Amino acid sequence: MAEGCNSKCGICLSFIFTEPKLLHCYHTFCLPCLQKLDMNGNKITCPLCKTKMSLSDKGVVGLKSYPFRLEYVKVDNAVMDACDLCDEQNFAVSKCLECKINLCSNCRNYHGKLKASKNHTIQPLKIFDSEELDQTISNVKTKCKEHCKELTLFCKQCNTSLCIECLEETHHCHQVENLSMFLQTKKEMLLVRIASLKARISFLQNTAEMVKLKEINYNKHCHTETGCKNIIDNIKKKDMKEFDKYMNQIETEKMSLSGLIMTTDDYINQSSDAHFLAEFSVIRKRLDNTSCKSVNIFPPIHDLGYEWDAVSEAVIEKMFGKIIAREKEKEVKPIYPHLPVPQLCLLPAHKAVKLSEFVVPNEVLDIIPADNDNAWLLTPRLACMYTNKGIKDQSFNTHDDIKRFVRKTASRMLFCKDVVVFTDKNFIVLDSFQKLYAQFKALATDKYGNILVADYFSDIIYLLSENGVFQQSLVNKSYGVHETTIMIIDECGYLWLVGASKCIKVFSYQ
């Protein structure tokens, strides 16, 4: 039985079936319960889903017995005993050995909860042996009748199971699939539909709880002690019938879904391969039709209220007194002084001041910052350290092929002839900076994250933010800048510029 689905007979509401019969709509009922139903000729209507179906000459006795393992009682030719406790004339399914009374399923559960009888021995009546259930289904051998070999394949074109010799003889040109995989796919299709029906049961349960709350609020609203109590009571009786009718519809729908889930789950887990394939299409269609069925709309109930006649001013004055209008005292509103808003300078203004200027004897190939306010200058075959005053500190010989100095940093900046591109450490482009007719040949960064770019064509040094946003033009021709090709910022924050005339200029701008 499907987990979380407690199916019971939709007529006697017993969880233990008495010779269960399976209807064409895949709902299961006790045989004695079906025999009590009104029949129109040789037709019967399912009490749960209202599906009409024709019967054979044997009537409900000729219906198909439930083919799977299920806890139920077998009826012998003799008349079954009725329950000795209740007056509902339910069939007895158990017997208390101490009290020596027959019990139906409901009384059996109640009898086991009482303090006086909870320790009694309750023995089921003659239970139908599960080994006798549908031996033709449980003992079917999945072997080919013609070749006596195991059926391991399924022909989609012929819709039949095959053995390997069937495939080679008559189905070699057909679309064939592994039987186990094919069955697993079909079973998963039904399991998805079972999950949908279980969700529908949860929805119906929530709806039932909402209806109960609505019924409680309705009863509170209808409580009155006035002279119109009889009128309200008559209206309330009609509405309560609608409440009960709707709750019965919800309960019937839940039992219908539970019974369908139980039958489908048993076909998935207990039926043979041939039996499952024979019933699959009909079960799937039945599940789809049930899933598409709309939920019954809550019936309209009366909204009770009082209708008032026109009320005059005299009646109001009599009830609440005469209305007097008084002049309202003037309110003193506080006056707040206007405070001046301070001017904020969001972008700091920088001014460049030349610190020194000196000329080196050889052509400068590259320059990088050194310690403090010193810098390394790369000339052909020689690397020299200079102070910002132009004093040579130390030097060493280099190879003829060395043309550039490189200093590694965490970020990466690329520049070309007319555009500066900013990337992250993965070389993903973040932003760019460009000027019309510009030729960028030098680039440097300071300790505050600012970026300085030298325009070789316009003789301008641009100051950019760390994200490449333009801040200001820091140095231009008026400072003596000409054709800057190399630029650095030393550890003291001084700007070193190398021009085309071997002239080095050092500026302080921070």
Side-chain angles (χ1 to χ4, degrees), residues 27 48 64 84 101 128 167 191-192 198-199 201 231 236 251 254 258 260 263 295-296 331 343 354 357 378 404 454:
H27 286 132
L48 295 180
K64 180 180 179 181
D84 294 331
I101 55 175
F128 191 82
L167 174 64
L191 289 174
V192 170
K198 288 183 179 180
I201 292 177
I231 299 176
K236 182 180 177 181
E251 188 62 28
K254 287 170 58 180
S258 297
L260 195 55
T263 305
V295 181
N296 294 329
E331 296 181 357
Q343 295 182 355
K354 183 188 291 186
E357 181 176 344
L378 177 64
R404 293 294 305 270

Side-chain angles (χ1 to χ4, degrees), residues 7-25:
S7 181
K8 55 186 176 181
C9 176
I11 301 176
C12 66
L13 306 183
S14 173
F15 290 99
I16 299 181
F17 290 86
T18 304
E19 278 202 281
K21 293 291 184 179
L22 183 64
L23 303 187
H24 302 332
C25 57

Side-chain angles (χ1 to χ4, degrees), residues 38-88:
D38 295 332
M39 298 185 188
N40 184 13
N42 62 338
K43 293 185 178 181
I44 189 174
T45 302
C46 175
L48 295 180
C49 64
K50 307 304 178 185
T51 301
K52 295 182 179 180
M53 59 200 75
S54 300
L55 300 174
S56 62
D57 296 337
K58 296 182 180 180
V60 293
V61 179
L63 289 172
K64 180 180 179 181
S65 298
Y66 194 75
F68 306 112
R69 297 178 184 274
L70 191 65
E71 182 184 6
Y72 65 93
V73 179
K74 180 182 178 182
V75 179
D76 295 328
N77 295 330
V79 179
M80 280 196 65
D81 294 330
C83 179
D84 294 331
L85 281 186
C86 63
D87 295 332
E88 299 177 3

Side-chain angles (χ1 to χ4, degrees), residues 238-279:
K238 295 179 181 179
D239 290 340
M240 294 307 296
K241 287 182 179 179
E242 295 296 331
F243 274 115
D244 295 339
K245 181 180 178 181
Y246 189 70
M247 290 296 291
N248 290 334
Q249 291 176 355
I250 292 178
E251 188 62 28
T252 301
E253 181 67 16
K254 287 170 58 180
M255 287 192 294
S256 175
L257 296 174
S258 297
L260 195 55
I261 291 173
M262 179 193 72
T263 305
T264 306
D265 188 80
D266 287 342
Y267 268 103
I268 293 174
N269 297 314
Q270 299 187 38
S271 65
S272 64
D273 296 345
H275 191 197
F276 176 80
L277 292 174
E279 298 288 341

Side-chain angles (χ1 to χ4, degrees), residues 308-332:
W308 294 87
D309 295 330
V311 181
S312 63
E313 294 182 6
V315 175
I316 296 176
E317 289 183 359
K318 185 178 180 180
M319 295 175 62
F320 302 102
K322 189 176 182 180
I323 300 175
I324 300 175
R326 295 191 180 96
E327 184 178 356
K328 192 174 183 181
E329 295 182 2
K330 295 183 180 179
E331 296 181 357
V332 178

